[in-house]
Amino acid sequence: GFHLSGTVTEPATATEPEMTYKVAISFDRCKITSVTCGCGNKDIFYCAHVVALSLYRIRKPDQVKLRLPISETLFQMNRDQLQKFVQYLITAHHTEVLPTAQKLADEILSSNSEINQVHGAPDPTAGASIDDENCWHLDEEQVREQVKLFLSQGGYYGSGKQLNSMFAKVREMLRMRDSNGARMLTLITEQFMADPRLSLWRQQGTGITEKCRQLWDELGALWVCVVLNPHCKLEEKSSWLRQLRKWGEMDVCPLEDGNYGNELPNITNALTQSSGHSQDSLARPRRTVFTRAIEGCDLHWQDSHLQRIISSDFYVSPSYQREGESLLFNSQGQPLWLEHVPTACARVDALRSHGYPREALRLTVAIINTLRLQQQRQLEIYKHQKKELLQRGATTITNLEGWVGHPLNPIGCLFLTLTEACRLEEENCLEISDAGDSKPPVYQHVPVMTGSQDSGESYLSLALEVALMGMGQQRVMPEGLYAQDKVCRNEEQIIARLQDLELDPVLVQTLRKQCILLLEGGPFSGLGEVIHRESVPMHTFAKYLFSALLPHDADLAYKLALRAMRLPVLETTAPSGDVTHPHHLVSVVPSRYPRWFTLGHLESQQCELASTMLTAAKGDMLRLRTVLEAIQKNIHSSSLIFKLAQDAFKIATPADSNSDTTLLNVALELGLQVMRMTLSTLNWRRREMVRWLVTCATEVGVRALVSILQSWYSLFTPTEATSIVAATVMSHNTILRLSLDYPQREELASCARTLALQCAMKDPQNCALSALTLCEKDHIAFETAYQIVIDAASTGMTYTQLFTIARYMEHRGYPLRAFKLASLAMTHLNLAYNQDTHPAINDVLWACALSHSLGKNELAAIIPLVVKSVHCATVLSDILRRCTMTAPGLAGIPGRRNSGKLMSTDKAPLRQLLDATISAYINTTHSRLTHISPRHYGEFIEFLSKARETFLLAQDGHIQFAQFIDNLKQIYKGKKKLMLLVRERFG
């Protein structure tokens, strides 16, 4: 039949009543070509009712009545029967078809109507003619709408997941060889190209967002798969090529390397740099996400050698040809395929995607045999050049195109093809569980089918081998942030897959063999002895290899991981003659490594590798030494070394058992290195680092503490050494923690005192007080520290520092020394008339109180200093008041006699203070009146009242004050309101 119609009943549920839907399906040559259903559901997949009707027809063909096409039935009717048929039909559906019936009747009766120019009439039940297109029904409008909706959500609400599932649907269609796969991909691509954000990103010159980038990559990869379909027609291929070129030429089309990079030459040219570089970015052809697919259109499958490889497991060279060199077979007679590796892998992906898994496997094996042969040959070449390369210590040989992070993902593709052949499908297990906790796949060894004698190899061991080969390939870091980021991402994806493999003896043997080859591989291996300065680092890969090898061959594991620790781009400067890879400066501020956008990530991976080795080497002094040396040689970031030191410390001091001294010493050594690295640079974590180091040294023991105290100047600033290091070492907690005996305590204290004196000499301003505190218990050291303070007081110290030390001295019971220091502090101080809230006022009052308590002589010595330094009337009157309240000399210094009488303001030394206070009030009054506003009048009157109290302390004070007020009235008579207030209060 050509047309199937029926009614489908959906049973009632708790919330919905029973529903019946009319369904019609057209089909042609075993494909459903169109569907309609009364449910009106819009989706890119068929609704349940269409599926139900189709399955019913497939499972119960005899229950479905087969009828002739309607045109045949009409042909058998006479004139009356036809009239009856039409009228009954119109009556049954008069509301829907009456207007159409009327229109058709009019057209048939009109002799020159269009309908009468054509012979016969259409019949929807008769099926298509042999020339008609026949393909599965796809609701194109629906595909467009959904893609548009998902793109407009910009990666939110799981739209990225939805688009990925549409891509997966395309792959599924390709695998089923459904011609709609390419149609659906075309529709998706049209919507992607119409995404309004593209032109916005291009105008702003910003990169496409990360999620969106990955979708574009998948789109490009899918097109490569489509055009490499081994059985597509030529005209199909040429129509795809036209489409791909059209999209690729649009200026909004995203570029392969992830940004609109080539539109940036103007910024780059603004920097003075050799003209060669900027020319290069303009000369490079523009490569869009579709370029690989466009190039793929030139590939064909007609090569007879290729056809033989993919069509038979037993294709080998005749044995008599195996002596000489051959481009088609290796020495065992197995076929080789010498194509550009990513291109060859794209063929494998196409075979796999188009439902040819056996063929994909055969080509994969040929590619791997080719890679092995290349690896062998490269090893032989290296053996001849080894001496020369090792002397140079660098190489210019490297792959400019890396396989990891490549747009075609060659290594991932081979790995998947091989592991899919070994996968044990568990019973009743769906591909992906909803919870997302899909169990890791389970693999078994499946022997490789080869024509030669049984090789004893399995597809699983080949999968491991090719992943290791690809990851270990030495390659130059690609251009641009996106491409570099992709290298890291792809590497992590491959490693995640490798971690799903259970390493049995067969796989361990493959692992060891490949690791040895990588170590010996010279410049073709990223783990070879010499590498290019701009080689992609191997830290992440080596960390996997180290953990995988450790239980089976520890020596090899360490050798490999230690070799991988290097990061040459940070260790050497670019050789001037190196033109293999021009530097494109993207940032306007050129840095030392302009091209390495992911450097931070790479350095943290280097640190992870080191940490993994440290953890594994716990307790093994020799191994720890070599790891430590590698860290000190290769890691250049202080914060990362600090992190390693902290990691080592944590592992060395488990909460539930004894500390491991070997690892503790490593932690300490790394900590010391961090101290030296950050001593002269600003680092916001420095205080935390210093504290941590003291904690670590305390764990190691008393010798470590003595050592850091003795060599403090190469590790700490004087302030850190006294206020953090020595103070912590001398604290009660440290002494308890170490449970020291008396000689040990004395030794530590002596070291701390020596440090304190050295620091006080070097930086008296910041260390004097700490030094005095640390030397308290030793008379000679204390005296030395005091002398250092006195020597520095006149030149290098501020009044605040001197007052602080003076107060400390008084507190320690040295009042005369405190007085001396306070006097020195006064000489550095200057308080203006309006600084009546200055923080030093308390110190001044304290210094005067101290002098007063010591006696008349000390007070007489300090008052001239006060008069010279303090010009603030209220402060001076406060000092004066305090000095007249009690008799001087109450401190009771032994050997001194004090009269016990109050002092007079008429005699020295208070007379000088009184005069200074009165003149300060007079000066301040004039200063205040020059710019006084009415709202401050009340406050000013109170100020004058205070002044009067001071004036009255003098013998002729009342006369002086009256003259002063008269003077004011005369000078400021313009301020009538204010003078009125002055008269009211003071007459």
Side-chain angles (χ1 to χ4, degrees), residues 44-146:
I44 58 172
F45 309 118
Y46 300 149
C47 67
H49 316 110
V50 168
V51 176
L53 183 61
S54 310
L55 289 175
Y56 186 80
R57 166 70 182 76
I58 291 164
R59 288 173 185 167
K60 304 187 177 173
D62 46 349
Q63 302 282 312
V64 179
K65 196 168 179 189
L66 188 63
R67 300 175 181 277
L68 285 171
I70 196 82
S71 50
E72 292 291 319
T73 313
L74 294 173
F75 187 69
Q76 294 166 16
M77 295 184 188
N78 63 24
R79 165 90 189 54
D80 288 350
Q81 287 171 316
L82 280 169
Q83 174 133 15
K84 199 171 204 171
F85 172 78
V86 172
Q87 283 183 244
Y88 266 97
L89 182 63
I90 291 172
T91 307
H93 296 286
H94 66 93
T95 50
E96 289 129 88
V97 300
L98 193 57
T100 312
Q102 193 66 60
K103 180 167 163 279
L104 286 174
D106 292 346
E107 285 189 15
I108 286 168
L109 292 175
S110 157
S111 58
N112 57 355
S113 69
E114 203 176 321
I115 213 168
N116 284 326
Q117 313 300 315
V118 184
H119 185 67
D123 178 0
T125 61
S129 82
I130 196 76
D131 309 326
D132 283 2
E133 270 290 300
N134 68 319
C135 60
W136 287 88
H137 169 68
L138 177 72
D139 188 340
E140 301 197 354
E141 197 39 52
Q142 204 42 43
V143 173
R144 287 193 194 97
E145 283 306 306
Q146 291 217 325

Side-chain angles (χ1 to χ4, degrees), residues 42-44 141-151 163 166:
K42 285 283 179 202
D43 198 355
I44 58 172
E141 197 39 52
Q142 204 42 43
V143 173
R144 287 193 194 97
E145 283 306 306
Q146 291 217 325
V147 177
K148 199 172 179 175
L149 172 70
F150 294 144
L151 282 172
L163 287 164
M166 288 179 96

Side-chain angles (χ1 to χ4, degrees), residues 795-849:
T795 52
M797 300 184 75
T798 66
Y799 61 81
T800 315
Q801 291 161 337
L802 288 168
F803 275 132
T804 309
I805 298 169
R807 287 191 160 194
Y808 161 81
M809 280 294 182
E810 188 201 24
H811 178 66
R812 297 286 311 145
Y814 294 105
L816 288 169
R817 289 182 174 186
F819 167 72
K820 183 167 185 180
L821 288 165
S823 305
L824 287 167
M826 287 302 297
T827 61
H828 292 273
L829 181 67
N830 186 16
L831 276 187
Y833 77 90
N834 56 354
Q835 288 183 297
D836 50 358
T837 56
H838 192 283
I841 291 171
N842 280 332
D843 290 320
V844 174
L845 294 174
W846 167 80
C848 292

Side-chain angles (χ1 to χ4, degrees), residues 151-199:
L151 282 172
S152 70
Q153 292 169 349
Y156 304 107
Y157 320 112
S159 59
K161 244 193 195 133
Q162 303 283 0
L163 287 164
N164 271 321
S165 75
M166 288 179 96
F167 288 147
K169 190 74 193 162
V170 171
R171 282 197 183 272
E172 189 188 324
M173 289 163 135
L174 298 179
R175 198 164 56 247
M176 306 305 291
R177 302 179 202 166
D178 173 352
S179 62
N180 273 337
R183 263 175 79 210
M184 180 149 157
L185 188 59
T186 304
L187 297 169
I188 293 174
T189 310
E190 281 169 351
Q191 290 309 310
F192 265 70
M193 289 300 295
D195 187 344
R197 290 176 299 172
L198 286 181
S199 54

Side-chain angles (χ1 to χ4, degrees), residues 150-151 276 296 341 396 492 542 610 654 667 703 944 957 962:
F150 294 144
L151 282 172
V341 175
T396 52
E492 280 157 12
R703 302 283 12 115
L944 282 182

Side-chain angles (χ1 to χ4, degrees), residues 368-438:
I368 290 177
N369 282 327
T370 313
L371 290 175
R372 283 170 170 171
L373 190 64
Q374 282 175 355
Q375 196 178 40
Q376 242 173 316
R377 289 203 180 140
Q378 287 169 349
L379 207 56
E380 282 156 23
I381 295 169
Y382 173 56
K383 278 177 186 154
H384 294 300
Q385 308 172 329
K386 186 169 182 174
K387 204 170 161 193
E388 179 204 343
L389 280 174
L390 286 177
Q391 277 171 344
R392 280 219 314 261
T395 173
T396 52
I397 308 166
T398 181
N399 295 289
L400 288 176
E401 181 179 56
W403 299 331
V404 173
H406 190 282
L408 298 173
N409 188 12
I411 300 300
C413 156
L414 297 183
F415 186 82
L416 271 180
T417 307
L418 291 161
T419 49
E420 273 174 6
C422 305
R423 198 164 177 163
L424 262 178
E425 287 304 338
E426 286 183 38
E427 288 305 302
N428 66 33
C429 97
L430 287 167
E431 277 275 303
I432 304 163
S433 64
D434 277 348
D437 57 349
S438 48

